[in-house]
Amino acid sequence: MNERQLIQEILNTVDILYEFKNADEDTKEYTLLLTRQDNDTRELATVNSEMKRYFQEANFTYDETLNPSDDNAEIKVDIARK
């Protein structure tokens, strides 16, 4: 399974809408824009901590921004495979 597939698997597990803003397959660095689904009643911090745990278990770095002002998303995440 390549990095992109693993990322998609994690995001589908957390059940969140996502978009790849940047994806550098060579350096294995990605920027993701994430938004909860309309019927999702979980707190944003709860969703973020769940994702963070999954990504860290998969040996990714995880640098998040909640409610970024420059993107149309609830969470902006920069991740990279270690």
Side-chain angles (χ1 to χ4, degrees):
M1 177 179 303
N2 67 33
E3 279 79 25
R4 186 181 284 262
Q5 290 171 324
L6 180 56
I7 292 166
Q8 291 171 325
E9 178 91 13
I10 290 170
L11 296 171
N12 289 333
T13 298
V14 177
D15 199 23
I16 193 161
L17 301 174
Y18 61 90
E19 173 186 337
F20 284 86
K21 181 176 180 178
N22 294 315
D24 188 333
E25 303 287 338
D26 294 332
T27 62
K28 301 177 184 179
E29 297 175 341
Y30 306 87
T31 299
L32 308 171
L33 301 178
L34 311 167
T35 305
R36 290 173 289 182
Q37 296 188 42
D38 290 340
N39 60 349
D40 193 344
T41 58
R42 297 175 291 174
E43 294 291 325
L44 191 56
T46 302
V47 173
N48 183 58
S49 66
E50 186 177 341
M51 279 190 311
K52 187 173 193 172
R53 179 176 51 88
Y54 282 121
F55 278 113
Q56 288 176 336
E57 287 174 359
N59 292 319
F60 281 91
T61 61
Y62 189 93
D63 183 27
E64 78 271 29
T65 304
L66 300 180
N67 297 309
S69 60
D70 59 338
D71 291 296
N72 188 21
E74 293 181 308
I75 306 172
K76 178 180 176 181
V77 180
D78 293 310
I79 59 173
R81 192 76 185 260
K82 297 179 188 178

